[in-house]
Amino acid sequence: MTQLKIITVEGDTMLEQWRHVHNTIVPPAAMSPEDARERRERYRLRNAYVGEVLVGCSTVRPPTGEGNAATVIARVLPEFRGRGFGTALYDDGLAHARVLGATVIETCVLAVNEDGLRFARRRGFVEIERYVLDGERDEWVDLRWSGD
């Protein structure tokens, strides 16, 4: 794998890059700059670069609820998939979730994102729910990690 740098989002330029990847991968959940700023306050957002080229991003939502579940989401732009970048982003997010004390790991994938679903399943995630948000048409899939 080409040298990958995964860096915590700081400042408006990096946040806009994170938002670009997010909105490219999940257009039904496209965020405004204000939405992204709010996410940065609640979650750990990171960008992935090869040299100066943005290739992906990640989100780690801290553990919550009875099951102490954290959500780890890795996103890689389509033209950079299949090179190990998603695995590196996922591993980085998983390590952070564990530092936060997560005992359960979950992820969420837009149902039409076959690459994303295949990626999650290869890493041991199993589907726990499919749903459509109120007033929307797009189907989402929540998955839970079944272990190493």
Side-chain angles (χ1 to χ4, degrees), residues 12 15-16 18-19 31-42 45:
D12 291 339
L15 185 60
E16 183 57 28
W18 179 92
R19 190 174 79 90
M31 288 187 200
S32 69
E34 181 58 37
D35 293 334
R37 281 190 290 279
E38 186 270 330
R39 290 277 172 106
R40 182 175 57 191
E41 295 300 316
R42 293 188 297 148
L45 309 181

Side-chain angles (χ1 to χ4, degrees), residues 128-145:
I128 56 172
E129 182 180 14
R130 282 184 182 248
Y131 56 92
V132 175
L133 298 172
D134 289 340
E136 301 290 328
R137 288 189 225 150
D138 298 290
E139 185 176 46
W140 296 89
V141 181
D142 284 348
L143 302 107
R144 182 169 290 141
W145 192 46

Side-chain angles (χ1 to χ4, degrees), residues 22 25-29 61 71-76 81 90 106-123 125-133 137-145:
H22 176 277
I25 304 302
V26 287
R61 299 176 190 160
T71 301
V72 176
I73 303 169
R75 301 174 199 89
V76 175
R81 291 180 182 160
Y90 166 74
E106 296 180 342
T107 196
C108 180
V109 179
L110 187 60
V112 297
N113 181 354
E114 293 177 13
D115 288 341
L117 287 172
R118 202 170 19 259
F119 177 88
R121 288 182 179 126
R122 279 194 308 245
R123 272 138 197 90
F125 283 87
V126 294
E127 184 176 324
I128 56 172
E129 182 180 14
R130 282 184 182 248
Y131 56 92
V132 175
L133 298 172
R137 288 189 225 150
D138 298 290
E139 185 176 46
W140 296 89
V141 181
D142 284 348
L143 302 107
R144 182 169 290 141
W145 192 46

Side-chain angles (χ1 to χ4, degrees), residues 68-113:
N68 205 32
T71 301
V72 176
I73 303 169
R75 301 174 199 89
V76 175
L77 292 168
E79 61 269 30
F80 298 105
R81 291 180 182 160
R83 301 182 201 178
F85 303 143
T87 297
L89 276 164
Y90 166 74
D91 289 346
D92 178 74
L94 179 61
H96 184 67
R98 293 209 189 272
V99 166
L100 295 175
T103 55
V104 175
I105 305 297
E106 296 180 342
T107 196
C108 180
V109 179
L110 187 60
V112 297
N113 181 354

